[in-house]
């Protein structure tokens, strides 16, 4: 089940997207109060925007815009909205996203071709280990996608390893939809209860929410930890509520595939100029076929790289590499650009490190500095030296690293808002 357009040439894909773009501009110019006002303010005539390059003349939309003008993004009367979901805003209040019946159909199609991309077929049964409700879009999207694909699904929901294993052994699902760190919990439960992982019947996992791969597509520490013990295929998928679109790996596992009928992709630098091929940029998206809340040039804040060479699976659509980090957390350190997840990965290679916190601050000349505080029970005198060497070889930089009491790290990690623990404390002035 590969949509024809994904096997077409890069030129044909571009022409196809430009046709869809013109339709979208007509649509938002007529129905979106937000974009109509934006076009008027910038004296933009949509008849002059015909190519993907022309798209760059339209100002970008930020998460703050979406938050501050939430209602004026809506293109349909409220009674056309079937499903209301929310996504976290940047200013505290959640942003509401509404979906029409047509949007739910589009979402189903998106997930169906995404699952098919990962090699899932009509004989497969998927076990959903994430929540279906709580105003989230994802769980419902998975359910609709599996239904559209013609496969089966068991909605177990989040947590409860015992119920997850009871379900695996009773219904014999072939794939899990799961947050990778929860896979570790399932493996631990299996160990403690003498369940043989090799007899589980699970062939693979669709992994959401946490990165599993390095930029060269090899498994990161978390991914490797899972694979060392459980021989299943790990497929990563990247999606967000605002995009209403997923980028899921195919069986070649070389990045998340772009579905050209659903979304336009740009990767932009700090000055909102397209980055050169192979360079990292912020993902900026334009949704296609969305009725209720279409978005033009929405800045996701996620930094990544695009891969445009044809994929062994037969698709010519571009692939997105793993999220390197959040744009806001970009660190410019001694001539290198890096993101906190890369620091996490390097630290996770040391089992002796019990806990850590990464502090980012500006030095007296205003450039970025990294200070890592670790807690360890190890008395080995060379531990710090080994960690520094590891940073130098993996990331080409050596931040300041100090050993602190575990209580101090715990206090730093418990954020003031009392939500989940933080591992990055950004003290840089904005
Ligand atoms: Zn592929």
């Amino acid at each position: 089940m590969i949509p024809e357009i994904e096997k077409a040439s890069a030129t044909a894909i571009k022409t196809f997207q430009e046709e869809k773009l013109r339709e979208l501009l007509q649509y938002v110019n007529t129905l979106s109060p937000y974009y109509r006002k934006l076009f008027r303010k910038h004296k933009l005539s949509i008849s002059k925007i015909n190519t993907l390059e022309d798209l760059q003349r339209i100002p970008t939309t930020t998460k703050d815009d979406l938050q501050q003008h939430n209602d004026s993004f809506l293109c349909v009367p409220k009674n056309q909205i079937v499903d209301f979901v929310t996504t976290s805003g940047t200013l505290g209040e959640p942003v509401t996203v509404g979906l029409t019946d047509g949007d739910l159909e589009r979402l189903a199609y998106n997930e169906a071709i995404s699952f098919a991309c990962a090699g899932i077929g009509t004989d497969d049964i998927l076990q959903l280990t994430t929540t279906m409700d709580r105003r989230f879009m994802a769980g419902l999207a998975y359910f609709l996608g599996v239904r559209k694909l013609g496969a089966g699904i068991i909605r177990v929901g989040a947590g409860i390893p015992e119920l997850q294993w009871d379900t695996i052994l009773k219904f014999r699902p072939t794939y899990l939809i799961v947050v990778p760190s929860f896979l570790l919990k399932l493996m631990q439960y299996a160990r403690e209860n003498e369940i043989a992982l090799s007899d589980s019947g699970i062939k693979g996992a669709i992994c959401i929410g946490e990165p599993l791969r390095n930029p060269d597509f090899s498994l990161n520490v978390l991914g490797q930890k899972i694979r060392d013990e459980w021989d299943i295929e790990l497929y990563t998928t990247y999606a967000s509520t605002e995009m209403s679109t997923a980028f899921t790996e195919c069986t070649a596992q070389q990045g998340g595939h772009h579905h050209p009928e659903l979304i336009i992709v740009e990767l932009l630098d700090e000055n909102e100029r397209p980055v050169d091929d192979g360079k990292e940029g912020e993902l900026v998206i334009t949704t296609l076929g969305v009725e209720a809340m279409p978005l033009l040039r929405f800045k996701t804040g996620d930094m990544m790289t695009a891969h445009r060479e044809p994929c062994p699976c037969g698709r010519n659509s571009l692939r997105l590499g793993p999220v390197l980090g959040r744009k806001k957390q970009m660190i410019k350190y001694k001539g290198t650009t890096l993101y906190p997840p890369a620091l996490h990965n390097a630290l996770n290679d040391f089992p002796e490190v019990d806990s850590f916190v990464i502090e980012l601050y500006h030095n007296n000349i205003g450039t970025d500095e990294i200070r890592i505080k670790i807690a360890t029970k190890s008395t080995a005198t060379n531990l710090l030296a080994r960690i520094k060497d590891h940073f130098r070889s993996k990331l080409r930089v050596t931040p300041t690293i100090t050993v602190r009491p575990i209580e101090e790290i715990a206090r730093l990690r418990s954020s003031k808002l009392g939500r989940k623990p933080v591992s990055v404390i950004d003290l840089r002035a904005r």
Side-chain angles (χ1 to χ4, degrees):
M1 183 178 165
I2 305 183
E4 284 304 313
I5 188 63
E6 298 182 19
K7 293 184 283 185
S9 69
T11 321
I13 290 176
K14 182 172 185 286
T15 309
F16 170 86
Q17 288 217 299
E18 290 175 343
E19 200 172 304
K20 293 270 175 193
L21 171 65
R22 290 191 289 270
E23 281 170 29
L24 169 70
L25 291 173
Q26 287 288 348
Y27 184 86
V28 294
N29 194 41
T30 318
L31 296 168
S32 166
Y34 180 83
Y35 287 114
R36 206 170 41 217
K37 197 170 157 194
L38 184 83
F39 295 157
R40 202 168 300 158
K41 187 175 157 200
H42 293 268
K43 299 190 172 58
L44 280 169
S45 163
I46 58 157
S47 63
K48 299 236 168 63
I49 295 165
N50 293 298
T51 66
L52 295 187
E53 292 78 16
D54 294 343
L55 188 56
Q56 289 163 29
R57 294 168 46 199
I58 302 174
T60 53
T61 301
T62 63
K63 284 187 189 217
D64 285 353
D65 295 331
L66 196 52
Q67 178 142 40
Q68 281 163 17
H69 311 280
N70 204 171
D71 288 345
S72 59
F73 279 89
L74 207 57
C75 294
V76 298
K78 203 171 175 183
N79 67 5
Q80 295 294 304
I81 304 291
V82 178
D83 195 38
F84 294 86
V85 299
T86 56
T87 179
S88 53
T90 42
L91 310 169
E93 277 295 295
V95 171
T96 303
V97 175
L99 292 97
T100 64
D101 192 50
D103 290 336
L104 289 171
E105 186 56 35
R106 179 187 168 283
L107 201 58
Y109 171 79
N110 160 66
E111 287 300 338
I113 59 174
S114 295
F115 288 138
C117 198
I120 297 172
T122 51
D123 290 335
D124 285 308
I125 298 173
L126 289 85
Q127 179 161 327
L128 180 63
T129 74
T130 62
T131 181
M132 272 286 278
D133 48 20
R134 304 277 170 102
R135 312 199 307 213
F136 284 118
M137 177 187 276
L140 180 68
Y142 299 133
F143 177 79
L144 295 173
V146 167
R147 182 167 178 245
K148 181 131 191 119
L149 182 64
I153 187 165
I154 316 156
R155 294 173 288 115
V156 182
I160 330 179
E162 186 180 354
L163 183 61
Q164 304 290 353
W165 274 112
D166 178 72
T167 310
I168 293 170
L169 300 172
K170 195 186 298 262
F171 298 94
R172 308 300 291 180
T174 44
Y175 287 87
L176 301 171
I177 302 171
V178 64
V179 176
S181 51
F182 187 62
L183 271 178
L184 292 177
K185 291 221 172 84
L186 289 182
M187 287 154 63
Q188 186 191 351
Y189 184 90
R191 251 191 327 269
E192 289 165 1
N193 293 274
E194 287 166 20
I195 299 168
L197 291 170
S198 53
D199 297 340
S200 66
I202 300 292
K203 294 191 284 187
I206 301 293
C207 295
I208 56 174
E210 293 164 349
L212 272 182
R213 293 193 194 281
N214 299 311
D216 66 357
F217 302 124
S218 61
L219 288 170
N220 66 13
V221 177
L222 176 59
Q224 201 53 55
K225 208 167 175 177
I226 296 165
R227 276 297 296 262
D228 283 349
E229 218 182 312
W230 200 357
D231 185 22
I232 54 174
E233 292 298 328
L234 302 174
Y235 298 98
T236 68
T237 178
Y238 167 76
S240 72
T241 305
E242 295 94 340
M243 299 197 298
S244 295
T245 307
F247 295 79
T248 306
E249 283 181 340
C250 67
T251 45
Q253 300 178 338
Q254 301 282 304
H257 268 287
H258 171 219
H259 301 297
E261 63 275 53
L262 297 175
I263 199 160
I264 294 172
V265 169
E266 296 174 82
L267 287 177
L268 303 183
D269 66 16
E270 280 164 85
N271 305 313
E272 301 198 341
R273 299 293 307 161
V275 297
D276 292 334
D277 256 2
K279 291 274 180 327
E280 66 185 59
E282 180 182 5
L283 178 71
V284 174
I285 58 96
T286 296
T287 56
L288 296 172
V290 170
E291 290 176 349
M293 283 183 66
L295 294 175
L296 277 179
R297 307 197 79 207
F298 176 73
K299 298 179 87 171
T300 63
D302 291 327
M303 301 298 294
M304 55 186 80
T305 324
H307 301 263
R308 293 172 197 278
E309 58 282 14
C311 186
C313 72
R315 291 172 181 83
N316 284 325
S317 56
L318 74 74
R319 289 162 285 123
L320 294 178
V323 177
L324 301 167
R326 301 286 303 159
K327 189 179 173 212
K328 277 191 180 161
Q329 291 191 331
M330 187 200 306
I331 310 161
K332 296 220 166 175
Y333 189 64
K334 298 183 179 160
T336 303
T337 301
L338 69 164
Y339 298 90
L343 301 170
H344 293 185
N345 273 339
L347 283 166
N348 282 335
D349 285 330
F350 292 89
E352 303 96 314
V353 175
D354 297 315
S355 183
F356 63 83
V357 59
I358 298 165
E359 289 180 344
L360 308 175
Y361 63 99
H362 279 157
N363 58 23
N364 54 13
I365 55 166
T367 58
D368 291 351
E369 289 287 346
I370 307 167
R371 184 167 46 208
I372 299 175
K373 294 177 176 169
I374 64 165
T376 179
K377 285 193 271 300
S378 163
T379 49
T381 46
N382 65 346
L383 177 65
L384 278 187
R386 283 194 293 125
I387 296 177
K388 283 186 177 177
D389 283 348
H390 189 60
F391 269 97
R392 199 174 298 125
S393 69
K394 277 211 130 174
L395 305 171
R396 290 171 295 157
V397 295
T398 36
T400 312
I401 306 174
T402 54
V403 178
R404 311 295 308 165
I406 187 113
E407 302 77 33
E408 181 183 331
I409 307 284
R411 185 170 44 75
L412 290 168
R413 285 175 67 97
S414 60
S415 63
K416 291 189 184 68
L417 296 168
R419 288 186 303 198
K420 54 183 176 183
V422 292
S423 54
V424 180
I425 300 173
D426 199 341
L427 304 163
R428 296 173 294 181
R430 296 269 160 214

Coordinates of all heavy atoms in Angstrom, one line a residue, residues 312-376:
P312 N 15.4 2.6 -0.4 CA 15.3 1.2 -0.9 C 13.8 0.7 -0.9 O 13.6 -0.3 -1.7 CB 16.1 0.4 0.1 CG 17.0 1.4 0.9 CD 16.3 2.7 0.8
C313 N 12.9 1.3 -0.2 CA 11.5 0.7 -0.1 C 10.8 1.1 -1.4 O 9.6 0.6 -1.6 CB 10.8 1.3 1.1 SG 10.4 3.0 1.0
G314 N 11.3 2.0 -2.2 CA 10.6 2.3 -3.5 C 10.0 3.7 -3.4 O 9.4 4.2 -4.4
R315 N 10.0 4.3 -2.2 CA 9.4 5.7 -2.1 C 10.5 6.7 -2.5 O 11.6 6.6 -2.1 CB 8.9 5.9 -0.7 CG 7.7 5.1 -0.4 CD 7.3 5.3 1.1 NE 6.2 4.5 1.5 CZ 6.2 3.2 1.8 NH1 7.4 2.6 1.8 NH2 5.1 2.6 2.2
N316 N 10.0 7.8 -3.1 CA 10.9 8.9 -3.4 C 10.7 10.1 -2.6 O 11.3 11.1 -2.7 CB 10.8 9.3 -4.9 CG 11.5 8.3 -5.8 OD1 12.5 7.7 -5.5 ND2 10.9 8.1 -7.0
S317 N 9.7 9.9 -1.6 CA 9.4 11.1 -0.8 C 10.6 11.3 0.2 O 11.3 10.4 0.6 CB 8.1 10.8 0.0 OG 8.2 9.6 0.7
L318 N 10.7 12.5 0.6 CA 11.9 12.8 1.5 C 11.7 12.1 2.9 O 10.6 11.8 3.3 CB 12.2 14.3 1.6 CG 11.3 15.3 2.4 CD1 11.5 15.1 3.9 CD2 11.7 16.7 2.1
R319 N 12.8 12.0 3.6 CA 12.7 11.4 4.9 C 13.3 12.3 5.9 O 14.3 13.0 5.6 CB 13.5 10.0 4.9 CG 12.8 9.0 4.1 CD 13.7 7.8 3.8 NE 14.6 8.2 2.7 CZ 16.0 8.2 2.8 NH1 16.6 7.8 3.9 NH2 16.7 8.6 1.7
L320 N 12.7 12.4 7.1 CA 13.2 13.2 8.2 C 14.0 12.4 9.1 O 13.6 11.4 9.6 CB 12.1 13.9 8.9 CG 11.2 14.9 8.1 CD1 10.1 15.4 9.0 CD2 12.1 16.1 7.6
G321 N 15.2 12.9 9.4 CA 16.1 12.3 10.5 C 15.5 12.5 11.8 O 14.5 13.2 12.0
P322 N 16.1 11.9 12.9 CA 15.6 12.1 14.2 C 15.7 13.6 14.7 O 16.5 14.3 14.2 CB 16.6 11.2 15.1 CG 17.7 11.0 14.2 CD 17.3 11.1 12.8
V323 N 14.8 13.9 15.6 CA 14.8 15.3 16.1 C 16.1 15.4 16.9 O 16.4 14.7 17.8 CB 13.5 15.5 17.1 CG1 13.6 16.9 17.7 CG2 12.3 15.3 16.3
L324 N 16.9 16.4 16.5 CA 18.1 16.7 17.2 C 17.9 17.4 18.5 O 18.8 17.3 19.4 CB 19.1 17.5 16.2 CG 19.3 16.8 14.9 CD1 20.0 17.8 13.9 CD2 20.2 15.6 15.1
G325 N 16.9 18.2 18.5 CA 16.6 18.9 19.8 C 15.6 20.0 19.5 O 15.2 20.2 18.3
R326 N 15.2 20.7 20.5 CA 14.3 21.9 20.4 C 15.1 23.1 20.0 O 16.2 23.3 20.5 CB 13.6 22.1 21.7 CG 12.7 21.0 22.2 CD 11.5 20.8 21.4 NE 10.6 22.0 21.4 CZ 9.7 22.3 20.5 NH1 9.5 21.4 19.5 NH2 9.0 23.4 20.6
K327 N 14.6 23.9 19.1 CA 15.3 25.0 18.6 C 15.7 25.9 19.8 O 16.9 26.4 19.9 CB 14.5 25.8 17.6 CG 15.2 26.9 17.0 CD 14.4 27.7 16.0 CE 15.1 28.9 15.5 NZ 14.2 29.9 15.2
K328 N 14.8 26.1 20.8 CA 15.1 27.0 21.9 C 16.2 26.5 22.8 O 16.8 27.2 23.5 CB 13.8 27.0 22.8 CG 12.8 28.0 22.3 CD 11.8 28.2 23.4 CE 10.7 29.2 22.9 NZ 9.5 29.1 23.7
Q329 N 16.5 25.2 22.7 CA 17.6 24.6 23.5 C 18.9 24.4 22.8 O 19.8 23.8 23.3 CB 17.1 23.3 24.1 CG 16.0 23.5 25.2 CD 15.7 22.2 25.9 OE1 15.9 21.1 25.4 NE2 15.3 22.3 27.2
M330 N 18.9 25.0 21.6 CA 20.2 24.9 20.8 C 21.3 25.5 21.6 O 21.2 26.6 22.2 CB 20.0 25.7 19.5 CG 21.2 25.5 18.5 SD 21.3 26.7 17.2 CE 19.8 26.8 16.5
I331 N 22.5 24.8 21.6 CA 23.6 25.3 22.3 C 24.7 25.6 21.3 O 25.0 24.7 20.5 CB 24.1 24.3 23.3 CG1 23.0 23.8 24.2 CG2 25.3 24.9 24.2 CD1 23.3 22.4 24.9
K332 N 25.3 26.8 21.3 CA 26.4 27.0 20.5 C 27.7 27.0 21.4 O 27.8 27.9 22.2 CB 26.3 28.4 19.8 CG 25.1 28.4 18.8 CD 25.4 29.1 17.6 CE 24.3 28.8 16.5 NZ 24.5 29.5 15.3
Y333 N 28.4 26.0 21.3 CA 29.5 25.8 22.2 C 30.8 25.5 21.5 O 31.0 24.5 20.8 CB 29.1 24.6 23.1 CG 30.0 24.3 24.3 CD1 30.1 25.3 25.3 CD2 30.8 23.2 24.4 CE1 30.9 25.1 26.4 CE2 31.6 23.0 25.5 CZ 31.7 23.9 26.5 OH 32.5 23.7 27.6
K334 N 31.7 26.5 21.7 CA 33.1 26.3 21.1 C 33.0 25.9 19.7 O 33.7 25.0 19.2 CB 33.9 25.4 22.0 CG 34.0 25.9 23.4 CD 34.9 25.1 24.3 CE 35.0 25.7 25.6 NZ 35.4 24.8 26.7
G335 N 32.2 26.6 18.9 CA 32.2 26.4 17.4 C 31.3 25.2 17.0 O 31.2 25.0 15.8
T336 N 30.7 24.6 17.9 CA 29.9 23.4 17.6 C 28.4 23.7 18.0 O 28.2 24.4 19.0 CB 30.3 22.2 18.3 OG1 31.7 21.9 18.0 CG2 29.5 20.9 18.0
T337 N 27.5 23.3 17.2 CA 26.0 23.4 17.5 C 25.6 22.1 18.1 O 25.8 21.1 17.4 CB 25.2 23.8 16.3 OG1 25.7 25.0 15.8 CG2 23.7 24.0 16.7
L338 N 25.0 22.1 19.3 CA 24.5 20.8 19.8 C 23.3 21.1 20.6 O 22.9 22.2 20.9 CB 25.6 20.0 20.5 CG 26.1 20.5 21.9 CD1 26.8 19.3 22.5 CD2 27.1 21.6 21.7
Y339 N 22.6 19.9 20.9 CA 21.3 20.0 21.7 C 21.4 19.1 22.9 O 22.1 18.1 22.9 CB 20.2 19.5 20.7 CG 20.0 20.4 19.6 CD1 20.7 20.2 18.4 CD2 19.3 21.6 19.6 CE1 20.7 21.0 17.3 CE2 19.2 22.4 18.6 CZ 19.9 22.2 17.4 OH 19.8 23.0 16.4
P340 N 20.6 19.4 23.9 CA 20.7 18.6 25.1 C 20.5 17.0 24.9 O 21.2 16.3 25.6 CB 19.5 19.1 26.0 CG 19.5 20.6 25.6 CD 19.8 20.6 24.1
P341 N 19.7 16.6 24.0 CA 19.6 15.1 23.9 C 20.9 14.4 23.6 O 21.1 13.3 24.0 CB 18.6 14.9 22.7 CG 17.7 16.2 22.7 CD 18.7 17.3 23.2
A342 N 21.8 15.1 22.8 CA 23.1 14.5 22.5 C 23.9 14.4 23.8 O 24.6 13.4 24.0 CB 23.8 15.4 21.5
L343 N 23.7 15.3 24.7 CA 24.5 15.3 26.0 C 23.9 14.1 26.9 O 24.6 13.4 27.5 CB 24.3 16.6 26.7 CG 24.9 17.9 26.0 CD1 24.5 19.1 26.8 CD2 26.4 17.8 25.9
H344 N 22.5 14.0 26.8 CA 21.9 12.9 27.6 C 22.4 11.6 27.1 O 22.8 10.7 27.9 CB 20.4 12.8 27.3 CG 19.6 14.0 27.8 ND1 18.2 14.0 27.7 CD2 20.0 15.1 28.4 CE1 17.8 15.2 28.3 NE2 18.9 15.8 28.7
N345 N 22.5 11.4 25.8 CA 22.9 10.1 25.2 C 24.3 9.8 25.7 O 24.6 8.7 26.0 CB 22.9 10.2 23.7 CG 21.5 9.8 23.1 OD1 20.8 9.2 23.8 ND2 21.2 10.2 21.9
A346 N 25.2 10.8 25.6 CA 26.6 10.6 26.0 C 26.7 10.2 27.5 O 27.4 9.3 27.9 CB 27.4 11.8 25.7
L347 N 25.9 10.8 28.4 CA 25.9 10.5 29.8 C 25.3 9.2 30.1 O 25.7 8.5 31.0 CB 25.1 11.6 30.6 CG 25.8 12.9 30.8 CD1 24.9 14.0 31.2 CD2 27.0 12.8 31.8
N348 N 24.3 8.8 29.3 CA 23.6 7.5 29.5 C 24.6 6.3 29.2 O 24.2 5.2 29.5 CB 22.4 7.4 28.6 CG 21.2 8.2 29.2 OD1 21.2 8.4 30.4 ND2 20.3 8.6 28.4
D349 N 25.7 6.6 28.6 CA 26.6 5.5 28.3 C 27.4 5.1 29.6 O 28.2 4.2 29.6 CB 27.7 5.9 27.2 CG 27.0 5.9 25.8 OD1 26.1 5.1 25.6 OD2 27.4 6.7 25.0
F350 N 27.2 5.9 30.7 CA 27.9 5.6 31.9 C 26.9 5.1 33.0 O 26.2 5.9 33.7 CB 28.6 6.8 32.4 CG 29.8 7.2 31.5 CD1 29.6 8.0 30.5 CD2 31.1 6.6 31.8 CE1 30.7 8.3 29.6 CE2 32.1 6.9 31.0 CZ 31.9 7.8 29.9
P351 N 26.8 3.8 33.2 CA 25.9 3.3 34.2 C 26.3 3.8 35.6 O 25.4 3.8 36.5 CB 26.1 1.8 34.2 CG 27.0 1.5 33.0 CD 27.6 2.7 32.5
E352 N 27.5 4.2 35.8 CA 27.9 4.7 37.2 C 27.3 6.0 37.5 O 27.2 6.4 38.7 CB 29.5 4.9 37.2 CG 30.3 3.7 36.9 CD 30.7 3.7 35.4 OE1 29.9 4.0 34.5 OE2 31.9 3.5 35.1
V353 N 26.8 6.8 36.5 CA 26.2 8.1 36.7 C 24.7 7.8 37.2 O 23.9 7.3 36.4 CB 26.2 8.9 35.5 CG1 25.4 10.2 35.7 CG2 27.6 9.3 35.1
D354 N 24.5 8.1 38.5 CA 23.1 7.8 39.0 C 22.1 8.8 38.6 O 20.9 8.5 38.5 CB 23.2 7.7 40.6 CG 24.1 6.5 41.0 OD1 24.0 5.4 40.4 OD2 25.0 6.8 41.9
S355 N 22.5 10.0 38.5 CA 21.6 11.1 38.2 C 22.4 12.3 37.7 O 23.6 12.4 38.0 CB 20.8 11.5 39.5 OG 19.9 12.5 39.2
F356 N 21.8 13.1 36.9 CA 22.5 14.3 36.4 C 21.6 15.5 36.1 O 20.4 15.3 35.9 CB 23.4 13.9 35.2 CG 22.5 13.5 34.0 CD1 22.0 14.5 33.1 CD2 22.3 12.2 33.7 CE1 21.2 14.1 32.0 CE2 21.5 11.8 32.6 CZ 21.0 12.8 31.8
V357 N 22.2 16.6 36.0 CA 21.4 17.8 35.5 C 22.4 18.6 34.6 O 23.6 18.7 34.9 CB 20.8 18.6 36.7 CG1 21.8 19.1 37.7 CG2 20.0 19.7 36.2
I358 N 21.8 19.1 33.5 CA 22.6 19.9 32.6 C 22.2 21.4 32.7 O 21.1 21.7 32.6 CB 22.4 19.4 31.2 CG1 22.8 18.0 31.0 CG2 23.1 20.3 30.2 CD1 22.3 17.3 29.7
E359 N 23.2 22.2 33.1 CA 22.9 23.6 33.2 C 23.5 24.4 32.0 O 24.6 24.2 31.7 CB 23.4 24.2 34.5 CG 22.7 23.7 35.7 CD 23.2 24.3 37.1 OE1 24.4 24.8 37.1 OE2 22.5 24.2 38.1
L360 N 22.7 25.2 31.4 CA 23.1 26.1 30.3 C 23.1 27.5 30.8 O 22.2 27.9 31.4 CB 22.2 25.9 29.1 CG 21.9 24.5 28.6 CD1 20.8 24.5 27.5 CD2 23.1 23.8 28.2
Y361 N 24.2 28.2 30.6 CA 24.3 29.6 31.0 C 25.2 30.4 30.0 O 25.9 29.8 29.2 CB 24.7 29.7 32.4 CG 26.1 29.2 32.7 CD1 27.2 30.1 32.8 CD2 26.4 27.9 32.8 CE1 28.5 29.6 33.0 CE2 27.7 27.4 33.1 CZ 28.7 28.3 33.1 OH 30.0 27.8 33.3
H362 N 25.1 31.7 30.1 CA 25.9 32.6 29.4 C 27.1 33.0 30.2 O 27.0 33.3 31.4 CB 25.2 33.8 28.9 CG 24.3 33.6 27.8 ND1 23.2 34.4 27.5 CD2 24.3 32.7 26.8 CE1 22.6 34.0 26.4 NE2 23.3 32.9 25.9
N363 N 28.3 32.9 29.6 CA 29.5 33.4 30.4 C 29.6 34.9 30.2 O 28.7 35.6 29.6 CB 30.8 32.7 29.8 CG 31.0 33.0 28.4 OD1 30.4 33.9 27.8 ND2 31.7 32.1 27.7
N364 N 30.6 35.5 30.8 CA 30.7 37.0 30.8 C 30.8 37.7 29.4 O 30.7 38.9 29.3 CB 31.7 37.5 31.8 CG 33.1 36.9 31.5 OD1 33.3 36.3 30.5 ND2 34.0 37.0 32.5
I365 N 31.1 36.9 28.4 CA 31.1 37.5 27.1 C 29.8 37.1 26.3 O 29.7 37.4 25.1 CB 32.4 37.2 26.2 CG1 32.6 35.7 26.1 CG2 33.6 37.9 26.8 CD1 33.6 35.3 25.1
G366 N 28.9 36.5 27.0 CA 27.6 36.3 26.4 C 27.5 35.0 25.5 O 26.5 34.9 24.8
T367 N 28.5 34.2 25.5 CA 28.3 32.9 24.8 C 27.9 31.8 25.7 O 28.1 31.9 26.9 CB 29.6 32.6 24.0 OG1 30.7 32.5 24.9 CG2 29.9 33.7 23.0
D368 N 27.4 30.7 25.0 CA 26.9 29.6 25.8 C 27.9 28.8 26.5 O 29.0 28.5 26.0 CB 26.1 28.6 24.8 CG 24.9 29.3 24.3 OD1 24.5 30.3 24.7 OD2 24.3 28.6 23.4
E369 N 27.6 28.4 27.7 CA 28.4 27.5 28.5 C 27.6 26.3 29.0 O 26.4 26.5 29.2 CB 29.0 28.2 29.7 CG 30.1 29.2 29.4 CD 31.4 28.6 29.0 OE1 31.6 27.3 29.1 OE2 32.3 29.3 28.4
I370 N 28.2 25.2 29.1 CA 27.5 24.0 29.6 C 28.2 23.5 30.9 O 29.4 23.3 31.0 CB 27.6 22.8 28.6 CG1 27.1 23.3 27.2 CG2 26.8 21.6 29.1 CD1 27.5 22.3 26.1
R371 N 27.4 23.3 31.9 CA 27.9 22.8 33.2 C 27.0 21.6 33.6 O 25.8 21.7 33.7 CB 27.7 23.9 34.3 CG 28.3 23.5 35.6 CD 28.3 24.8 36.5 NE 27.1 25.5 36.4 CZ 27.0 26.9 36.6 NH1 28.1 27.6 36.9 NH2 25.8 27.5 36.6
I372 N 27.7 20.4 33.6 CA 27.0 19.2 34.0 C 27.3 18.8 35.4 O 28.4 18.7 35.8 CB 27.4 18.1 33.0 CG1 27.0 18.5 31.5 CG2 26.7 16.8 33.4 CD1 27.4 17.5 30.5
K373 N 26.2 18.6 36.2 CA 26.4 18.1 37.5 C 25.9 16.7 37.6 O 24.8 16.4 37.2 CB 25.6 19.0 38.5 CG 26.1 20.4 38.6 CD 25.3 21.3 39.4 CE 25.9 22.7 39.6 NZ 24.9 23.6 40.2
I374 N 26.8 15.8 38.1 CA 26.4 14.4 38.2 C 26.5 13.9 39.6 O 27.2 14.5 40.5 CB 27.3 13.5 37.3 CG1 28.8 13.5 37.8 CG2 27.3 13.9 35.8 CD1 29.6 12.4 37.2
A375 N 25.7 12.9 39.9 CA 25.8 12.2 41.2 C 26.2 10.8 40.9 O 25.7 10.2 40.0 CB 24.4 12.2 41.9
T376 N 27.1 10.3 41.7 CA 27.6 8.9 41.5 C 28.0 8.3 42.8 O 28.5 9.0 43.7 CB 28.8 8.9 40.5 OG1 29.2 7.5 40.3 CG2 29.9 9.7 40.9

